[in-house]
Amino acid sequence: MRRRTWLLSAAGGAGALLVGWSILPARSRLGAPDLMRLGPGDVELNGWITIAADGSVVVAMARSEMGQGVYTALPMLAAEELDVPLSHVRIEQAGFASIYGNVAMLEESLPFHPNELAPDAQPFKVRAARWMVGKVARELGINATGGSSSVADLWDVLRMAAASARSSLLGAAAQQWKLPLAELSVKDGVVSHPSGKSAHYGELAKFASATPPGDVTLKARKDLTLIGQPAPRLDVPAKVNGSARFGLDTRLPGLLYAAVRLCPMLGGTGESVNGSAALALPGVQLLVPLPAYAGSTAGFAVVGKTTWHARQGARAVQVSWQQRPEGALDSTQIEGRLRTALETEKGTTFYSLGDIDAAEARAAQLVQASYHAPYLAHATMEPMNCTAQVQGGKVEVWAPTQAPAMARAIAAKVAGVSPDDVTLHVTLLGGGFGRRLEVDYVAQAVRVAMACGGHPVQLAWSREEDTTHDFYRPMNVANLRAALDGQGRVQSLRIHSAGDAITPRWMKRTLPALAGPFDLPDKTTDEGLFDQPYGFAHQHMAHVATRMGVPVGYWRSVGHSHNAFFIESFMDELAVQTRQDPVEFRRGLLQQAPRHRAVLNLAAAKAGWGGALAAGRARGVALHESFGSIVAQVVEVSLQDGLPRVHRVVCAVDCGTVVNPDIVMQQVEGAVIFGLTAALFSAIDIEAGRVRQRNFPDYPMVKLAQAPQVETWIVPSERPPGGVGEIGVPPLAPAVGNALFLLTGKRHRSLPLRMA
């Protein structure tokens, strides 16, 4: 906390020298018109927009597509302001200029309470810190995809870039035709005048590149014709006809294939490696040692003519593995250490309101509960992979990555070249969920390519390696306590949690220059707890950040994924304790949170809360805000053969301005299935340093026959867009757990929700 205070003071000192705080407006991120790759006849109007000779529009794509729909949503922003059909827009991978950095993702990582973030009432320390972080993000060009931030970050930037281009195109037409600008109009990318003169954008682009845009104004909401409307996804046709290219689809002349074997004990090493039997096999060519790159576990790769040859060779290597020097990891022991930390350490206080000690001292009753969430793997459908070629002092990489800037940096570091000597192609991602914010597999591929004499090599992990060498969602535990007065009213809420902090570990792996000698408070450890919306008069939220030795990373919805389970389960416990309906209990605590209350009311109404249910079914409810959006879910659950069966999930969503409602519904549906898998089945257990789960038979997913009916209801809003890709995950587990309590009378305080 002392370092945080120093940083904020430094920010304030720097800010005092500035005039105002609008230091990074959207216009400042448009970039010079020399950043995009041009085809014959193409004209670049700024760093985001190019006009092709046929009048179509090319948009720089600075975010990765992993199923969340950015290849459609972001072009929609440009198409709206340029007045062109969405079918006339195509994308091109953005480079590494600073304008492509994800400012919103880093700004939202600051651990400020919502009360401090009101746009017109932000304290000086908040404005200073947000400015500093935004400036760092801009200057470094950290163009990562994460935190449900893609549309939120580029909402103003892409619209301004497109509107600026449109203004220049109209200005060019006015000058060429010597007609008043106000008399010109645009429809479907064609500029026209009542006199009959007309030209499409491609015919005006060259003149427009020399025409300053002048004053640029974004469209008023009443004039929007594309934003807010359903539109077909631009990436679907290629995925249907097979032309889409994911990482494993990369094929190059002379391509070799590499399979990895990493030490099965997390953090361990190979004491002795004998590859003679492997190298004697047909089709096997090389054995390449792999150090512990970017936080990964050490091991080796075997190179072969095909994937089958490489994997057969990897299996044939004789190796003696050694535990890490600190001793073997064990998840059961780690849980015990976390609970001890709760009893012995105060941790970092993220939020405090009123006098929690006095409220508890005068309480007529204290209600307490302890919760637990396990380690979880990402289990992306496409395992970790990367293709690389190293020759002539140059490196070329084809990678499904959420962090292109960091992937390029690690490739350059491993090969010993400048980042400018690395060409990175970002492929489609067969799932990301935060796992592909890591760059370990990129480092491994480049290291293997360096040993292959200029041949390109595709390194691919098996499912078993992928499951047993993940950067896992941290195990977390939490104690929650509430004070009730003599009338049974809840007066206070105290939450004390413990678990590893992700951000400092990730920074050390991927951005070591910014990691620092000691850790700052990590918002992800307490998000969803310290910033919960309920109006308790006295509150205290603290987290003990631990270092248990297990490699941890960002997992879809990060801290919200387990913190929502903690607090929304406890809210139901309090409703039971105070003999109130769970929805009514929450409503009573949301008097000062009208957005949350409206979302809760909508979900309850659409689910028929309080109405009749089929025999043997119960409803559960949960409400949670994450990534700037609010979701309430009501689930209908029964028991079949003694196991939970979720039949229906009704979701109400306030995610601000909606760009494409179809994509919102798709993302909520996918998040429900993802969250249901974690709620019912998922846990990573570590015994003697080894991850016990290896493949889908022991780390199962929700199957098609188990999938519930999902209904999504969107609250109309004129606020800027919030996140969408992760927001449906957090409320699912507590809603299911709360329904199971009504069915069985048993309160589930540990995930997954096992009935035994």
Side-chain angles (χ1 to χ4, degrees):
M1 291 298 287
R2 286 194 298 272
R3 185 182 182 200
R4 177 189 181 192
T5 302
W6 179 87
L7 284 172
L8 295 178
S9 298
L17 302 177
L18 302 171
V19 179
W21 290 94
S22 298
I23 220 64
L24 295 174
R27 185 185 289 273
S28 74
R29 295 176 64 185
L30 299 193
D34 59 356
L35 297 177
M36 296 176 67
R37 183 177 57 193
L38 300 180
D42 291 356
V43 178
E44 189 177 12
L45 297 185
N46 53 56
W48 296 91
I49 303 294
T50 291
I51 304 299
D54 63 358
S56 60
V57 177
V58 183
V59 174
M61 180 53 62
R63 303 293 176 260
S64 301
E65 176 61 74
M66 48 189 169
Q68 81 279 35
V70 291
Y71 276 17
T72 301
L74 296 181
M76 286 178 70
L77 303 184
E80 179 70 76
E81 292 294 338
L82 278 162
D83 284 305
V84 298
L86 184 58
S87 60
H88 289 195
V89 180
R90 56 188 172 88
I91 61 172
E92 175 187 301
Q93 181 186 328
F96 295 92
S98 61
I99 64 167
Y100 303 125
N102 192 332
V103 176
M105 186 179 75
L106 270 71
E107 283 186 346
E108 293 307 313
S109 69
L110 292 166
F112 294 120
H113 192 271
N115 292 347
E116 301 176 298
L117 296 176
D120 55 350
Q122 291 184 4
F124 185 76
K125 67 174 183 179
V126 175
R127 290 180 288 144
R130 289 176 69 87
W131 180 86
M132 282 192 67
V133 169
K135 185 69 172 174
V136 169
R138 250 295 299 278
E139 295 303 319
L140 294 181
I142 302 175
N143 58 338
T145 304
S148 295
S149 61
S150 294
V151 173
D153 181 62
L154 296 178
W155 168 246
D156 288 328
V157 176
L158 258 180
R159 288 188 303 142
M160 181 61 72
S164 178
R166 181 182 186 275
S167 181
S168 291
L169 289 160
L170 282 167
Q175 291 182 25
Q176 291 295 308
W177 300 339
K178 298 184 175 9
L179 291 169
L181 181 64
E183 295 180 4
L184 303 182
S185 61
V186 181
K187 182 178 181 181
D188 294 340
V190 176
V191 180
S192 60
H193 184 266
S195 66
K197 285 185 176 292
S198 67
H200 65 64
Y201 281 164
E203 297 170 304
L204 297 168
K206 184 176 180 180
F207 302 107
S209 66
T211 304
D215 293 331
V216 178
T217 303
L218 298 178
K219 280 187 177 182
R221 285 186 176 268
K222 64 181 178 60
D223 297 325
L224 299 178
T225 59
L226 183 59
I227 290 175
Q229 302 302 315
R233 286 180 56 150
L234 300 180
D235 54 336
V236 167
K239 291 176 178 177
V240 171
N241 66 30
S243 62
R245 288 292 173 260
F246 294 82
L248 287 172
D249 293 320
T250 304
R251 292 294 180 267
L252 303 167
L255 184 65
L256 299 173
Y257 299 83
V260 302
R261 269 184 70 189
L262 305 178
C263 178
M265 290 88 81
L266 296 175
T269 57
E271 191 173 37
S272 63
V273 179
N274 185 344
S276 57
L279 294 172
L281 293 174
V284 175
Q285 298 191 347
L286 289 172
L287 188 153
V288 183
L290 295 175
Y293 286 120
S296 66
T297 297
F300 59 84
V302 171
V303 180
K305 292 182 179 180
T306 68
T307 299
W308 187 87
H309 289 113
R311 290 190 176 182
Q312 291 298 109
R315 292 189 186 100
V317 174
Q318 298 175 354
V319 57
S320 174
W321 301 110
Q322 187 175 22
Q323 287 278 11
R324 65 181 196 139
E326 301 91 336
L329 293 161
D330 183 282
S331 52
T332 301
Q333 294 178 4
I334 289 172
E335 181 180 352
R337 291 167 58 192
L338 290 175
R339 295 200 179 278
T340 298
L342 283 184
E343 301 301 324
T344 60
E345 299 182 43
K346 293 183 178 179
T348 298
T349 297
F350 280 83
Y351 186 63
S352 184
L353 177 69
D355 190 336
I356 191 79
D357 292 329
E360 292 179 347
R362 62 175 177 262
Q365 181 184 3
L366 291 177
V367 180
Q368 305 182 69
S370 294
Y371 292 87
H372 164 262
Y375 290 108
L376 291 182
H378 295 83
T380 61
M381 289 296 99
E382 181 187 26
M384 297 304 104
N385 70 91
C386 180
T387 302
Q389 185 172 25
V390 180
Q391 59 179 349
K394 303 290 185 180
V395 180
E396 195 162 7
V397 174
W398 294 259
T401 177
Q402 293 177 243
M406 283 76 100
R408 186 176 73 143
I410 195 69
K413 181 178 179 180
V414 172
V417 301
S418 165
D420 292 335
D421 292 322
V422 177
T423 301
L424 176 68
H425 308 275
V426 179
T427 68
L428 292 171
L429 284 60
F433 314 130
R435 176 60 178 92
R436 287 186 161 97
L437 285 168
E438 307 292 341
V439 295
D440 52 326
Y441 57 99
V442 177
Q444 292 174 349
V446 173
R447 172 67 185 89
V448 174
M450 292 171 64
C452 289
H455 284 278
V457 60
Q458 185 174 97
L459 179 140
W461 291 24
S462 66
R463 176 61 59 190
E464 288 76 13
E465 293 292 346
D466 194 89
T467 304
T468 58
H469 293 94
D470 205 341
F471 291 93
Y472 303 98
R473 186 190 77 173
M475 179 185 290
N476 271 260
V477 297
N479 292 337
L480 286 82
R481 184 163 69 213
L484 276 60
D485 64 16
Q487 287 73 47
R489 295 171 300 195
V490 181
Q491 299 298 305
S492 69
L493 177 66
R494 183 194 294 270
I495 306 176
H496 194 197
S497 56
D500 281 13
I502 298 170
T503 302
R505 310 288 84 75
W506 180 79
M507 292 280 286
K508 186 176 181 180
R509 294 191 296 264
T510 60
L511 292 168
L514 298 180
F518 46 88
D519 297 344
L520 294 173
D522 181 4
K523 177 184 177 181
T524 69
T525 60
D526 216 55
E527 60 188 2
L529 298 179
F530 82 93
D531 48 359
Q532 55 82 31
Y534 299 113
F536 297 102
H538 307 278
Q539 302 178 32
H540 188 271
M541 285 73 178
H543 182 86
V544 180
T546 57
R547 292 193 184 195
M548 293 299 168
V550 176
V552 295
Y554 299 112
W555 189 90
R556 191 174 186 178
S557 72
V558 205
H560 294 285
S561 67
H562 47 80
N563 288 337
F565 174 69
F566 299 160
I567 188 166
E568 283 300 295
S569 297
F570 192 63
M571 291 296 291
D572 251 49
E573 294 206 44
L574 293 178
V576 171
Q577 191 68 37
T578 58
R579 297 181 178 148
Q580 297 183 62
D581 173 85
V583 170
E584 287 300 326
F585 177 72
R586 287 171 171 83
R587 283 175 179 152
L589 291 166
L590 294 172
Q591 299 298 324
Q592 304 303 314
R595 286 183 68 207
H596 295 79
R597 188 181 174 95
V599 172
L600 177 65
N601 287 342
L602 179 60
K606 295 300 183 181
W609 185 268
L613 268 173
R617 292 193 185 186
R619 292 189 184 100
V621 63
L623 170 74
H624 196 76
E625 179 178 1
S626 61
F627 308 102
S629 299
I630 305 166
V631 179
Q633 292 177 349
V634 176
V635 302
E636 292 182 14
V637 181
S638 71
L639 292 178
Q640 295 186 0
D641 299 323
L643 299 175
R645 173 65 192 273
V646 179
H647 301 273
R648 182 186 182 209
V649 181
V650 177
C651 309
V653 179
D654 181 345
C655 55
T657 297
V658 172
V659 176
N660 187 328
D662 281 358
I663 291 178
V664 173
M665 289 187 284
Q666 291 163 9
Q667 287 302 292
V668 171
E669 290 167 2
V672 164
I673 301 301
F674 191 92
L676 187 57
T677 287
L680 298 183
F681 304 126
S682 300
I684 288 293
D685 302 308
I686 304 168
E687 300 169 357
R690 298 173 182 248
V691 172
R692 186 173 61 79
Q693 291 77 13
R694 295 179 54 77
N695 206 318
F696 291 129
D698 50 15
Y699 198 76
M701 306 283 118
V702 167
K703 299 178 177 65
L704 183 60
Q706 299 169 313
Q709 172 190 347
V710 181
E711 303 170 25
T712 303
W713 302 88
I714 300 173
V715 176
S717 174
E718 294 190 357
R719 295 168 63 94
V724 171
E726 302 171 88
I727 61 175
V729 174
L732 197 282
V736 175
N738 294 337
L740 287 175
F741 172 76
L742 293 177
L743 279 174
T744 67
K746 176 184 177 181
R747 180 63 66 180
H748 292 265
R749 298 191 179 101
S750 183
L751 293 172
L753 301 168
R754 296 189 173 114
M755 300 307 296

